[in-house]
Amino acid sequence: MPSVLFVCLGNICRSPTAEAVFRTKAAGTDIIIDSAGTGAWHAGEGPDPRSRTEGESRGYSFAGQAARKVRRSDFTEFDYILAMDAANLRDLAEIAPQHMTAKLSLFLPDGQDVPDPYYGGPEGFRDVVDLIEGAADHWLSIISADS
Ligand code: 4NP
């Protein structure tokens, strides 16, 4: 079954939002979807309430999500590992095992970052969902074509 892991720094804002949006977009497919953070500060916590508020207002569910850190096995268990920003991608490349089988990429197809909204206002959280919704269809068609 095709699989995708969305990765950001804390796994409480951007990648949980990507997970929630993608679960809706990929409904009816057998794609395995998860998210993780390169940092472990928030491990075990649910998504940030500001992300939940914005995502849920657009109909996305964050049910069952709990933050976790990226682990070595992710690099062989997932087909795609998609980083929310360039720093996340760099951190992933640094810890990737040589025998990695996952395709590692930035999430936004135009090579831009999904900006970290954590220390900003609500508009940052709106932008995150806008950017993620825009790119989710792109990845859905790529990942579906693999299966
Ligand atoms: P995320 O946002 O990477 O989109 O989950 C952040 C969450 C927490 C922190 C930074 C970014 N933090 O520094 O704790």
Side-chain angles (χ1 to χ4, degrees), residues 8-15 41-42 116-119:
C8 61
L9 178 59
N11 192 210
I12 56 170
C13 300
R14 292 166 292 174
S15 59
W41 308 283
H42 298 279
D116 183 346
Y118 189 68
Y119 291 107

Side-chain angles (χ1 to χ4, degrees), residues 56-67:
E56 286 171 354
S57 78
R58 303 195 202 190
Y60 302 113
S61 170
F62 294 73
Q65 290 205 45

